[in-house]
Amino acid sequence: MGLIIRQEDLKAIIKMAEKSAVEVCGFLFGRGEGGNFIVEEVRFVPNRLNSPTAFEMEPVEMLQAIDEAEERGLEVVGIFHSHLKCPPVPSGRDLKGMRLWPVVWLIVDEKGNYGAFVLEGDRIREVGVEVV
Ligand SMILES: [Zn+2]
């Protein structure tokens, strides 16, 4: 099981993370196929906490993003956000979010490192990222 994402999409997320003084966040829309998650579209949503150490998607834009994706037949396959000056692995706060949103969590840092994670029961498992 892994996340399949186009290089330009991953680059776009990392570029935003590099430029931003706060965590950036949003959705990975696409479809599941053969146990993998294929990202068709990246959608940024403002971080309403405006924080360098935490994120919460702005709720109205969040729902709008999901509606628009569903209209095009895409589903939420993942959530992405950035970490600043700390490794791209889930924080304690992220773990709570992963319980609410049991999808793939892609985390990038401002240096271009990244990792993808899922919650299995109460354990976090890293999954592969295939850049195509
Ligand atoms: Zn985080």
Side-chain angles (χ1 to χ4, degrees):
M1 180 178 129
L3 188 72
I4 300 172
I5 185 167
R6 282 190 293 264
Q7 190 171 35
E8 68 241 44
D9 286 340
L10 183 61
K11 269 191 182 160
I13 295 172
I14 290 168
K15 200 159 218 168
M16 282 290 271
E18 282 170 356
K19 285 192 300 190
S20 177
V22 300
E23 290 193 5
V24 298
C25 55
F27 287 111
L28 305 173
F29 292 122
R31 60 201 160 83
E33 198 179 277
N36 291 313
F37 296 99
I38 301 165
V39 179
E40 303 278 2
E41 194 183 297
V42 168
R43 171 79 180 253
F44 289 89
V45 176
N47 176 359
R48 73 170 184 151
L49 299 180
N50 250 322
S51 162
T53 57
F55 80 97
E56 253 177 50
M57 288 192 223
E58 201 283 306
V60 175
E61 285 206 33
M62 182 175 106
L63 293 176
Q64 200 178 342
I66 293 172
D67 279 350
E68 287 172 14
E70 281 177 352
E71 274 168 27
R72 290 195 300 280
L74 302 174
E75 49 186 290
V76 178
V77 294
I79 283 180
F80 69 87
H81 74 286
S82 63
H83 281 178
L84 283 84
K85 300 188 180 85
C86 84
V89 296
S91 64
R93 188 188 170 92
D94 292 336
L95 178 60
K96 287 182 190 149
M98 290 174 87
R99 290 200 182 102
L100 293 174
W101 286 94
V103 293
V104 178
W105 278 53
L106 174 69
I107 306 177
V108 307
D109 72 10
E110 80 282 14
K111 294 183 199 119
N113 303 306
Y114 58 87
F117 306 86
V118 292
L119 196 61
E120 281 181 348
D122 237 10
R123 305 179 70 151
I124 291 170
R125 184 162 76 89
E126 184 161 12
V127 297
V129 178
E130 191 182 337
V131 182
V132 293

Coordinates of all heavy atoms in Angstrom, one line a residue, residues 3 10 13-14 17 23-24 28 55 78-84 86-95 98 104-110 112-118 124 126 129:
L3 N 1.2 5.7 -1.5 CA 0.7 6.9 -2.1 C 1.4 7.2 -3.4 O 2.6 7.2 -3.4 CB 0.9 8.0 -1.1 CG 0.2 9.4 -1.4 CD1 -1.3 9.2 -1.2 CD2 0.8 10.5 -0.5
L10 N 3.8 17.1 -5.7 CA 4.6 17.0 -4.5 C 5.5 18.3 -4.4 O 5.6 18.9 -3.4 CB 5.5 15.8 -4.5 CG 6.4 15.5 -3.3 CD1 5.6 15.4 -2.0 CD2 7.3 14.3 -3.5
I13 N 3.6 21.3 -3.2 CA 3.4 21.3 -1.7 C 4.7 21.8 -1.0 O 4.7 22.6 -0.1 CB 3.0 19.9 -1.2 CG1 1.6 19.5 -1.8 CG2 2.9 19.9 0.3 CD1 1.2 18.1 -1.5
I14 N 5.8 21.2 -1.5 CA 7.1 21.5 -0.8 C 7.4 23.0 -1.0 O 7.9 23.7 -0.1 CB 8.2 20.6 -1.3 CG1 8.0 19.2 -0.8 CG2 9.6 21.1 -0.9 CD1 8.8 18.1 -1.4
A17 N 5.5 25.0 1.3 CA 6.1 24.8 2.7 C 7.3 25.7 2.9 O 7.5 26.3 3.9 CB 6.4 23.4 2.9
E23 N 2.5 26.5 9.1 CA 2.2 25.2 8.5 C 1.2 25.4 7.3 O 0.2 26.1 7.5 CB 1.7 24.2 9.5 CG 2.8 23.7 10.5 CD 2.4 22.5 11.3 OE1 1.3 21.9 11.1 OE2 3.2 22.2 12.2
V24 N 1.5 24.8 6.2 CA 0.5 24.8 5.1 C -0.2 23.4 5.1 O 0.3 22.4 5.6 CB 1.2 25.0 3.7 CG1 1.8 26.4 3.7 CG2 2.2 23.9 3.4
L28 N -5.4 15.8 -0.5 CA -5.0 15.1 -1.7 C -6.3 14.3 -2.2 O -6.8 13.5 -1.5 CB -3.9 14.0 -1.3 CG -2.7 14.6 -0.6 CD1 -1.8 13.4 -0.1 CD2 -1.9 15.5 -1.5
F55 N -1.8 22.9 12.7 CA -2.7 23.4 11.6 C -4.1 22.9 11.9 O -4.3 21.9 12.6 CB -2.2 22.9 10.2 CG -2.6 21.4 10.0 CD1 -3.8 21.1 9.2 CD2 -1.9 20.4 10.4 CE1 -4.1 19.8 9.0 CE2 -2.2 19.1 10.2 CZ -3.4 18.8 9.5
G78 N -6.0 11.6 0.9 CA -5.0 12.0 1.9 C -5.2 13.5 2.4 O -5.9 14.3 1.8
I79 N -4.5 13.7 3.5 CA -4.4 15.1 4.0 C -2.9 15.4 4.0 O -2.1 14.5 4.4 CB -5.0 15.2 5.4 CG1 -6.5 15.2 5.3 CG2 -4.5 16.4 6.2 CD1 -7.2 15.3 6.6
F80 N -2.5 16.6 3.6 CA -1.1 16.9 3.7 C -0.9 18.2 4.6 O -1.8 19.0 4.7 CB -0.5 17.2 2.3 CG -1.0 18.5 1.6 CD1 -0.3 19.7 1.9 CD2 -2.0 18.4 0.8 CE1 -0.8 20.9 1.3 CE2 -2.5 19.6 0.2 CZ -1.9 20.8 0.5
H81 N 0.2 18.3 5.2 CA 0.6 19.5 5.9 C 2.1 19.6 6.0 O 2.8 18.6 5.7 CB -0.1 19.7 7.2 CG 0.4 18.8 8.3 ND1 0.1 17.4 8.4 CD2 1.1 19.0 9.4 CE1 0.7 16.9 9.5 NE2 1.3 17.9 10.1
S82 N 2.6 20.7 6.4 CA 4.1 20.9 6.5 C 4.5 21.0 8.0 O 3.7 21.4 8.8 CB 4.5 22.1 5.7 OG 3.9 23.3 6.3
H83 N 5.7 20.6 8.2 CA 6.4 20.9 9.5 C 7.5 21.9 9.2 O 8.2 21.8 8.2 CB 6.9 19.6 10.1 CG 5.9 18.8 10.7 ND1 6.1 17.5 11.3 CD2 4.5 19.0 10.9 CE1 5.0 17.0 11.8 NE2 4.0 17.9 11.6
L84 N 7.7 22.8 10.2 CA 8.8 23.7 10.1 C 9.8 23.4 11.2 O 9.5 23.3 12.3 CB 8.3 25.2 10.3 CG 7.6 25.8 9.0 CD1 6.2 25.4 9.0 CD2 7.8 27.3 9.1
C86 N 11.1 20.8 12.1 CA 11.0 19.5 12.8 C 10.7 18.5 11.8 O 10.2 18.8 10.7 CB 10.0 19.6 13.9 SG 8.3 19.3 13.5
P87 N 11.1 17.2 12.0 CA 11.0 16.2 11.0 C 9.6 15.9 10.5 O 8.7 16.1 11.3 CB 11.6 14.9 11.7 CG 12.1 15.4 13.0 CD 11.6 16.7 13.3
P88 N 9.5 15.4 9.3 CA 8.1 15.2 8.7 C 7.5 13.9 9.2 O 7.3 13.0 8.4 CB 8.4 15.2 7.2 CG 9.8 14.7 7.1 CD 10.5 15.2 8.3
V89 N 7.3 13.8 10.5 CA 6.6 12.6 11.1 C 5.5 13.1 12.0 O 5.6 14.3 12.5 CB 7.6 11.7 11.9 CG1 8.7 11.1 11.1 CG2 8.2 12.5 13.1
P90 N 4.4 12.3 12.2 CA 3.3 12.9 12.9 C 3.6 13.3 14.3 O 4.3 12.5 15.1 CB 2.3 11.7 12.9 CG 2.7 10.9 11.7 CD 4.2 11.0 11.6
S91 N 3.1 14.4 14.7 CA 3.2 14.9 16.1 C 2.0 14.3 16.9 O 1.1 13.6 16.4 CB 3.1 16.4 16.2 OG 1.8 16.8 15.7
G92 N 2.0 14.5 18.2 CA 0.9 14.0 19.1 C -0.4 14.6 18.6 O -1.4 13.9 18.6
R93 N -0.3 15.9 18.2 CA -1.5 16.5 17.8 C -2.0 15.9 16.4 O -3.2 15.8 16.2 CB -1.2 18.0 17.6 CG -2.4 18.9 17.3 CD -2.0 20.3 16.9 NE -3.1 21.0 16.4 CZ -3.9 21.7 17.1 NH1 -3.7 21.9 18.4 NH2 -5.0 22.3 16.6
D94 N -1.0 15.6 15.6 CA -1.4 15.0 14.3 C -2.1 13.6 14.5 O -3.0 13.2 13.8 CB -0.1 14.7 13.4 CG 0.5 16.0 13.0 OD1 -0.3 17.0 12.9 OD2 1.7 16.0 12.7
L95 N -1.6 12.9 15.6 CA -2.2 11.6 15.9 C -3.7 11.8 16.1 O -4.5 10.9 15.7 CB -1.5 11.0 17.1 CG -2.0 9.6 17.6 CD1 -1.9 8.6 16.5 CD2 -1.2 9.2 18.8
M98 N -5.4 12.2 12.9 CA -5.4 11.0 12.1 C -6.6 10.1 12.6 O -7.1 9.3 11.8 CB -4.1 10.2 12.3 CG -2.9 10.9 11.6 SD -1.3 10.2 11.9 CE -1.3 8.9 10.6
V104 N -4.5 8.7 4.3 CA -3.1 8.8 4.3 C -2.7 10.3 4.7 O -3.3 11.2 4.2 CB -2.5 8.5 2.9 CG1 -1.0 8.7 2.9 CG2 -2.8 7.1 2.5
W105 N -1.7 10.4 5.6 CA -1.3 11.7 6.0 C 0.1 11.9 5.4 O 1.1 11.2 5.8 CB -1.2 11.8 7.6 CG -2.6 12.2 8.1 CD1 -3.7 11.5 7.9 CD2 -2.9 13.3 9.0 NE1 -4.8 12.1 8.5 CE2 -4.3 13.2 9.2 CE3 -2.2 14.3 9.6 CZ2 -5.0 14.1 10.0 CZ3 -2.8 15.2 10.4 CH2 -4.2 15.1 10.6
L106 N 0.2 12.9 4.5 CA 1.5 13.2 3.9 C 2.0 14.5 4.7 O 1.3 15.5 4.8 CB 1.3 13.6 2.4 CG 2.5 14.1 1.7 CD1 3.6 13.0 1.5 CD2 2.1 14.6 0.3
I107 N 3.3 14.3 5.1 CA 3.9 15.5 5.8 C 5.2 15.8 5.1 O 6.0 14.9 4.8 CB 4.2 15.1 7.3 CG1 2.9 14.6 8.0 CG2 4.7 16.3 8.1 CD1 3.1 14.1 9.4
V108 N 5.4 17.1 4.9 CA 6.6 17.6 4.2 C 7.3 18.5 5.2 O 6.7 19.1 6.1 CB 6.4 18.3 2.9 CG1 5.5 17.4 2.0 CG2 5.7 19.6 3.1
D109 N 8.6 18.8 5.0 CA 9.2 19.8 5.8 C 9.7 20.9 4.8 O 9.7 20.7 3.6 CB 10.3 19.3 6.7 CG 11.6 18.8 6.1 OD1 11.7 19.1 4.8 OD2 12.4 18.2 6.7
E110 N 10.3 22.0 5.3 CA 10.7 23.1 4.5 C 12.0 22.8 3.7 O 12.4 23.6 2.9 CB 10.7 24.4 5.3 CG 12.0 24.6 6.1 CD 12.1 23.8 7.4 OE1 11.2 22.9 7.6 OE2 12.9 24.1 8.3
G112 N 12.3 19.9 2.0 CA 11.9 19.0 0.9 C 11.9 17.5 1.3 O 11.7 16.7 0.5
N113 N 12.0 17.2 2.6 CA 11.8 15.9 3.1 C 10.3 15.6 3.2 O 9.6 16.5 3.4 CB 12.5 15.7 4.4 CG 14.0 16.0 4.4 OD1 14.7 15.4 3.6 ND2 14.4 16.9 5.3
Y114 N 10.0 14.4 3.1 CA 8.5 14.1 3.2 C 8.3 12.6 3.7 O 9.2 11.8 3.5 CB 7.8 14.3 1.9 CG 8.3 13.5 0.7 CD1 7.9 12.2 0.5 CD2 9.3 14.1 -0.1 CE1 8.4 11.5 -0.6 CE2 9.8 13.4 -1.2 CZ 9.4 12.1 -1.4 OH 9.9 11.4 -2.4
G115 N 7.2 12.3 4.2 CA 6.8 11.0 4.6 C 5.3 10.9 4.6 O 4.6 11.9 4.7
A116 N 4.8 9.6 4.4 CA 3.3 9.4 4.4 C 3.0 8.3 5.5 O 3.8 7.4 5.6 CB 2.9 9.0 3.0
F117 N 1.9 8.5 6.1 CA 1.6 7.7 7.3 C 0.1 7.4 7.3 O -0.7 8.2 6.9 CB 2.0 8.5 8.6 CG 3.4 8.9 8.6 CD1 3.7 10.2 8.0 CD2 4.4 8.1 9.1 CE1 5.1 10.6 8.0 CE2 5.7 8.6 9.1 CZ 6.1 9.8 8.5
V118 N -0.2 6.2 7.9 CA -1.6 5.8 8.1 C -1.6 5.4 9.6 O -0.6 5.0 10.2 CB -2.1 4.7 7.2 CG1 -2.2 5.2 5.8 CG2 -1.2 3.5 7.3
I124 N 0.9 4.2 14.3 CA 1.2 4.9 13.1 C 2.2 4.1 12.2 O 3.1 3.5 12.7 CB 1.9 6.2 13.4 CG1 0.8 7.2 14.1 CG2 2.4 6.9 12.2 CD1 1.4 8.4 14.7
E126 N 4.3 4.0 8.6 CA 4.8 4.8 7.4 C 4.5 4.0 6.1 O 4.7 2.8 6.1 CB 6.3 5.1 7.5 CG 6.7 6.0 6.3 CD 8.1 6.7 6.6 OE1 8.8 6.3 7.6 OE2 8.4 7.6 5.8
V129 N 5.9 6.3 -0.7 CA 5.4 7.3 -1.6 C 6.1 7.1 -2.9 O 7.3 7.1 -3.0 CB 5.8 8.7 -1.0 CG1 5.4 9.8 -2.0 CG2 5.2 9.0 0.3

